[in-house]
Amino acid sequence: MNLQRRLTLPNDINAIPQLNVFLDTVFEEAGIVDMELTMTLNLAMEEAIVNVMDYAYPNGAEGTVSIDVMTDSELITFVITDSGIPFDPTTAKDVDITLPAEERSIGGLGIHLIRQIMDDIKYERKDDKNILTLRKYLNCESENLNL
């Protein structure tokens, strides 16, 4: 089923429950019933949105993050847009998950998780906005789903 939905949230992590309800509704409307898939997609989206809320805007600055979701029978696409500080997560260094936690540098695990879950990640900066596009194929086993 082709579906297109949008949600705009303030840059406040207290709004994350709204994201979860929105995603659950989108998955239901799109007929995506694989519970493991919906849970991993929800995790990837929550990581991406919380990163925007935590880092895109200077402390105390108000801003928003918009989430556009498009689905068809083969693909679900999430487009996350914010007007915050430019940041391209596709260029972030890989986290060495083989190191013990106390030896790893802080940060980067959310981006690592998103890379593992999604099939395609694209970033662009356009009209003073960060635009992060995440795609996941629905009807095939993903090589990236190696949590």
Side-chain angles (χ1 to χ4, degrees), residues 3-137:
L3 183 71
Q4 187 165 343
R5 297 287 183 267
R6 170 177 267 206
L7 175 68
T8 300
L9 297 172
N11 66 320
D12 179 351
I13 60 170
N14 293 317
I16 289 299
Q18 289 176 281
L19 172 68
N20 296 328
V21 169
F22 170 73
L23 292 173
D24 288 345
T25 302
V26 166
F27 299 148
E28 184 177 321
E29 289 178 2
I32 302 171
V33 295
D34 179 335
M35 188 61 74
E36 183 177 353
L37 176 62
T38 61
M39 286 175 40
T40 57
L41 289 174
N42 204 319
L43 176 62
M45 289 301 297
E46 191 170 312
E47 286 291 338
I49 300 304
V50 167
N51 278 346
V52 170
M53 290 175 171
D54 283 347
Y55 303 113
Y57 298 97
N59 281 345
E62 291 186 17
T64 61
V65 56
S66 294
I67 304 100
D68 290 286
V69 183
M70 290 78 60
T71 67
D72 59 32
S73 61
E74 297 177 6
L75 186 68
I76 186 164
T77 303
F78 302 94
V79 179
I80 302 166
T81 307
D82 69 80
S83 301
I85 298 164
F87 176 70
D88 181 354
T90 65
T91 62
K93 249 176 34 174
D94 284 337
V95 175
D96 185 352
I97 58 172
T98 63
L99 291 174
E102 59 275 1
E103 292 180 26
R104 287 186 223 152
S105 58
I106 294 174
L109 281 178
I111 293 170
H112 173 78
L113 248 159
I114 294 165
R115 287 176 177 159
Q116 295 302 306
I117 293 170
M118 303 311 268
D119 292 317
D120 183 51
I121 301 170
K122 180 182 150 201
Y123 170 84
E124 64 181 319
R125 180 80 178 174
K126 185 175 181 183
D127 298 327
D128 292 325
K129 294 183 186 296
N130 294 303
I131 304 168
L132 182 64
T133 303
L134 308 172
R135 290 187 177 90
K136 179 72 176 172
Y137 290 97

